[in-house]
């Protein structure tokens, strides 16, 4: 295990991860402004100003024998992502050239598309529909090719919808009128995400290690239960004391994709504390 961690994209998830790893690792965290870099810097974390597309020289100086957590989202509303994808691929190649020890890429379960009604394991085919999902698939494939051809240690972590004590999707749905109340939900709590990432970061990557986490490229992080969203978000709003959204079709049989994460949790040796989305409210 090395004790150098670079979190590239120090947003909401990054802050939780940095706090969890600060006792065991020297951390460099990238942010796009000098003000934020100064704000996050302390005795455990050094803020580094970096925007995707910048010269990577200074960043790569920190990557030798380090674990790189790559967590730069493209933005949901951005539909022109060729530059984003190209810059991500260049950053990955430069990290490999700098002899990074491990790359953990934070991906998304949106790579499977939205118009599916089946149970999806880690081996299911991707069917990206949005520009963001297509960009994530391209980055994932580049990483897998890099692992195969250049022997770079790569982990891809596909996250379901993120929740936390300070973040829940019902807040943005409150009072709205929406359809497809019978679609299943796929959520994961930040507490469980950090536990999984911590396990991957601490895993020994030596050639002689036979840990299952070292031989696996792809992980799903999602709750183990998948209620209908009309039922779930109505209940969540009531518990939070906010205006409930109104859904059509909530009385129909459940449909929509189910992200099956049981195998990933088992490989990680973790039973998620928030296996039931009800516990996330």
């Amino acid at each position: 295990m090395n004790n150098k961690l670079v979190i590239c994209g120090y947003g909401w998830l990054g802050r939780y991860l940095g706090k969890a790893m600060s006792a065991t690792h020297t951390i460099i965290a990238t942010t796009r402004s000098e003000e934020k870099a100064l704000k996050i810097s302390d005795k455990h974390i050094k803020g580094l100003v970096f925007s995707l597309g910048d010269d990577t020289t200074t960043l790569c100086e920190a990557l030798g024998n380090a674990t790189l957590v790559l967590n730069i989202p493209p933005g949901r509303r951005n539909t022109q992502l060729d530059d984003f994808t190209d810059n991500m691929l260049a950053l990955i190649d430069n990290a490999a050239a700098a002899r990074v020890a491990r790359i953990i890429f934070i991906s998304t379960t949106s790579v499977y598309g939205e118009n599916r009604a089946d149970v999806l394991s880690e081996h299911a085919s991707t069917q990206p529909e949005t520009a963001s999902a297509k960009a994530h698939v391209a980055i994932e494939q580049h990483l897998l090719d890099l692992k195969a051809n250049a022997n770079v240690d790569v982990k891809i972590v596909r996250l379901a919808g993120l929740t936390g004590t300070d973040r829940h999707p019902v807040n943005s749905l409150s009072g709205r009128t929406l359809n497809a109340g019978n679609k299943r939900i796929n959520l994961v709590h930040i507490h469980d995400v950090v536990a999984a990432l911590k396990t991957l970061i601490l895993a020994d990557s030596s050639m002689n290690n036979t840990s299952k986490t070292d031989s696996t490229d792809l992980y799903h992080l999602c709750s183990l239960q998948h209620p209908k969203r009309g039922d779930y978000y109505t209940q969540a709003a009531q518990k939070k004391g906010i205006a409930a959204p109104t859904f059509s079709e909530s009385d129909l049989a459940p449909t929509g994709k189910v992200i099956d994460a049981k195998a990933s949790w088992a490989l990680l040796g973790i039973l998620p504390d928030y296996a039931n989305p009800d516990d996330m409210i």
Side-chain angles (χ1 to χ4, degrees):
M1 182 194 78
N2 65 72
N3 65 348
K4 293 168 58 181
L5 175 63
V6 178
I7 303 174
C8 198
Y10 200 68
W12 185 74
L13 186 159
R15 291 192 296 273
Y16 274 96
L17 181 60
K19 182 178 180 180
M21 301 305 302
S22 61
T24 57
H25 281 65
T26 300
I27 301 172
I28 292 177
T30 73
T31 183
R32 291 181 292 177
S33 77
E34 185 69 38
E35 180 183 0
K36 289 182 179 178
L38 292 171
K39 186 176 180 179
I40 64 177
S41 294
D42 58 27
K43 64 180 180 179
H44 301 293
I45 300 175
K46 177 184 177 182
L48 177 66
V49 179
F50 177 79
S51 294
L52 190 63
D54 288 352
D55 184 279
T56 63
T57 301
T58 301
L59 176 60
C60 285
E61 288 174 355
L63 289 178
N65 198 35
T67 295
L68 170 63
V69 176
L70 197 51
N71 181 39
I72 304 178
R76 293 181 180 179
R77 294 183 176 86
N78 193 345
T79 59
Q80 299 296 327
L81 294 178
D82 288 347
D83 288 344
F84 169 84
T85 304
D86 289 345
N87 288 330
M88 286 286 280
L89 301 189
L91 172 57
I92 289 165
D93 288 344
N94 290 340
R99 298 189 180 278
V100 67
R102 173 177 289 150
I103 300 175
I104 300 174
F105 176 54
I106 306 301
S107 190
T108 169
T109 56
S110 69
V111 298
Y112 295 114
E114 297 303 319
N115 299 313
R116 299 175 76 162
D118 44 352
V119 177
L120 302 172
S121 74
E122 297 83 351
H123 304 291
S125 63
T126 58
Q127 295 179 16
E129 298 168 16
T130 65
S132 173
K134 291 174 183 177
H136 278 86
V137 169
I139 295 164
E140 286 185 5
Q141 188 57 55
H142 188 77
L143 283 164
L144 294 175
D145 290 344
L146 194 65
K147 178 168 185 171
N149 299 323
N151 200 31
V152 176
D153 188 359
V154 165
K155 309 295 179 191
I156 296 167
V157 181
R158 291 176 180 163
L159 301 185
L162 267 172
T163 74
T165 55
D166 54 344
R167 172 174 170 171
H168 195 283
V170 74
N171 296 322
S172 63
L173 301 179
S174 177
R176 295 172 58 184
T177 300
L178 302 161
N179 58 13
N182 60 329
K183 287 193 72 172
R184 300 179 181 95
I185 63 166
N186 296 281
L187 297 176
V188 64
H189 197 279
I190 186 66
H191 171 87
D192 294 327
V193 171
V194 168
L197 293 177
K198 186 174 182 178
T199 297
L200 291 175
I201 292 166
L202 294 176
D204 186 355
S205 60
S206 65
M207 294 297 290
N208 295 325
N209 189 276
T210 58
S211 167
K212 287 183 286 187
T213 58
D214 283 336
S215 60
T216 304
D217 301 321
L218 176 63
Y219 295 84
H220 280 172
L221 298 186
C222 187
S223 65
L224 301 180
Q225 297 186 35
H226 308 270
K228 294 192 293 186
R229 68 177 193 153
D231 296 338
Y232 178 72
Y233 288 121
T234 299
Q235 177 189 7
Q238 291 170 348
K239 284 188 177 181
K240 286 180 169 288
I242 60 178
T246 301
F247 286 91
S248 64
E249 300 150 356
S250 293
D251 57 338
L252 299 180
T255 189
K257 65 187 179 187
V258 168
I259 302 300
D260 183 359
K262 292 190 293 293
S264 289
W265 292 121
L267 282 169
L268 291 163
I270 296 172
L271 182 64
D273 288 338
Y274 294 84
N276 187 337
D278 288 348
D279 297 331
M280 303 176 189
I281 301 171

